Amino acid sequence: MRLQNVFDVIYTHTEGEPLCIIHSGIPYPAGSSILEKRRYLQENYDWVRCALMREPRGHKDMFGVFLTPPSSPDYDAGLIYIDGTQYSHMCGHGTIAIGMAMVALGLARRGENGRTTIRFETTAGLVTAEVANDGPQVLWTRFENVPAYVAAQDVPFDLPGIGSLKADIVWGGNYFGIIDLRGTSLRISPENGSQLSQLGVIAREQLRQKVGIRHPASSHIDNFNFVTFWHEPTIEGAFYKNVHVFSAGQLDRSPGGTGTSAMMAMFEARGELKLHQPIRSEGLIGSGTFEGCLIGEANLNGTRAVRPTVKGTAGLLGTARWTINREDPVDAGFLVA
């Protein structure tokens, strides 16, 4: 008998977008910052990311998070987001799910009067979640995201079969290239998933060549990974419908939390949305909406930004205890293009 690599995880979905919450099995260095924890994972435990995000345990569009101890009393927990390709700074659908799961499963002490506040440490900054419950029933999470801002507007590029378009580059916890599909034939629906995936990667690579990215207040943030397509909503009362394409062409099934933050910042900068005006955002599969609102302004080292909040609900799918055999290349995780 030999020592096994064992990891406990929780599975959730937020409007169809999955999340694998890895909450045991990692001996994080004591007193380490969230950036130091991410570097530690990359250098010592990246094989866990590969094994749990990729087949045979995961799939091409699986998303996950390492739930870590906080680095200081200013936080309650740390979040390091991952997929089968790389690491992300923040994730809104994940924050909604983790907040609800922590309260439902007793990983966070419930607050009074049906409200629990959880301060999350992310590589994008502080994200504060408010989780609502009615007795044993956990109802929703609303989180205040890191400040969002518009980095560039009307960046021109071309898409095969679509033509010449323009994109806004916006930070909402991740950098997004936001593309308006109104007036084109391309529709956002699960049936068009392969086309949206391919065109999203093509658009992102063109935009990367045209725009240099660096966060004005956090110099470690200089990667541009997400492209958002949007057009008119199909759900009554929604402000728009969108899909977020990221990493190796993965598609976010949900309306997107950092995406909703970025979209609101874009609309506000164009005079199409006011501060304190709530909106609803619709995602790829159209199962429901997130509620977003800009609650004020912020200053990012001289750059004007806005303060977004996003509210949504998630479902608990189950739990698992995985053993990983690193010597077996199939067990260790693989991707099929």
Side-chain angles (χ1 to χ4, degrees):
M1 182 180 296
R2 60 177 298 171
L3 180 66
Q4 297 289 313
N5 295 303
V6 179
F7 302 90
D8 291 308
V9 305
I10 301 164
Y11 287 101
T12 65
H13 84 90
T14 314
E15 299 300 345
E17 180 65 6
L19 188 71
C20 172
I21 305 169
I22 307 158
H23 62 94
S24 77
I26 307 291
Y28 297 99
S32 56
S33 69
I34 195 69
L35 285 173
E36 290 168 339
K37 287 183 177 71
R38 186 180 68 179
R39 188 178 309 115
Y40 177 77
L41 288 170
Q42 290 171 322
E43 294 175 353
N44 299 279
Y45 284 91
D46 197 56
W47 54 272
V48 177
R49 175 186 66 83
C50 294
L52 297 184
M53 296 297 98
R54 301 175 179 181
E55 293 187 57
R57 298 175 184 83
H59 52 80
K60 180 177 179 292
D61 291 283
M62 178 58 77
F63 204 80
V65 63
F66 289 99
L67 179 61
T68 81
S71 68
S72 79
D74 294 331
Y75 307 102
D76 299 304
L79 304 176
I80 299 174
Y81 285 105
I82 56 173
D83 60 45
T85 305
Q86 60 183 24
Y87 295 71
S88 294
H89 292 293
M90 230 301 278
C91 173
H93 94 266
T95 301
I96 290 168
I98 291 169
M100 293 183 68
M102 288 180 68
V103 172
L105 300 177
L107 299 178
R109 180 177 296 178
R110 292 193 181 193
E112 298 180 355
N113 302 317
R115 295 292 186 272
T116 302
T117 298
I118 307 175
R119 300 162 300 172
F120 289 117
E121 181 181 19
T122 78
T123 60
L126 169 66
V127 175
T128 303
E130 177 191 20
V131 185
N133 72 280
D134 183 4
Q137 186 70 25
V138 183
L139 304 174
W140 47 258
T141 297
R142 178 190 287 113
F143 67 90
E144 180 175 347
N145 198 6
V146 296
Y149 80 99
V150 177
Q153 291 181 313
D154 295 325
V155 181
F157 69 101
D158 295 293
L159 275 187
I162 304 296
S164 297
L165 295 171
K166 295 180 179 179
D168 288 0
I169 312 300
V170 187
W171 167 257
N174 296 294
Y175 278 106
F176 292 79
I178 300 177
I179 301 164
D180 185 356
L181 292 181
R182 293 176 301 175
T184 74
S185 61
L186 183 57
R187 299 292 89 184
I188 297 167
S189 68
E191 293 77 14
N192 295 333
S194 295
Q195 184 182 17
L196 291 164
S197 173
Q198 294 167 5
L199 291 177
V201 172
I202 291 171
R204 183 186 63 200
E205 296 314 302
Q206 288 190 52
L207 293 170
R208 280 176 171 174
Q209 297 300 315
K210 292 175 177 285
V211 180
I213 293 295
R214 185 171 296 276
H215 192 278
S218 300
S219 61
H220 67 277
I221 301 174
D222 59 3
N223 56 315
F224 166 28
N225 186 37
F226 288 74
V227 159
T228 298
F229 294 117
W230 73 277
H231 58 52
E232 303 87 350
T234 62
I235 295 177
E236 184 177 357
F239 203 69
Y240 60 85
K241 180 169 185 170
N242 70 187
V243 63
H244 312 290
V245 186
F246 59 97
S247 295
Q250 291 97 308
L251 300 177
D252 189 343
R253 275 67 169 156
S254 81
T258 57
T260 297
S261 300
M263 290 290 288
M264 290 192 295
M266 179 203 68
F267 284 123
E268 195 271 345
R270 292 186 171 276
E272 299 174 27
L273 181 69
K274 297 179 180 179
L275 297 180
H276 308 292
Q277 176 185 345
I279 67 163
R280 293 190 177 275
S281 56
E282 178 186 353
L284 172 64
I285 66 173
S287 64
T289 61
F290 288 170
E291 180 184 300
C293 190
L294 300 176
I295 62 172
E297 297 180 317
N299 186 309
L300 295 175
N301 199 26
T303 297
R304 179 185 179 272
V306 288
R307 293 170 54 203
T309 65
V310 180
K311 175 185 175 184
T313 62
L316 179 65
L317 296 175
T319 61
R321 170 165 289 186
W322 292 114
T323 59
I324 300 174
N325 180 3
R326 299 177 64 188
E327 298 177 359
D328 179 348
V330 174
D331 186 283
F334 63 91
L335 290 174
V336 176

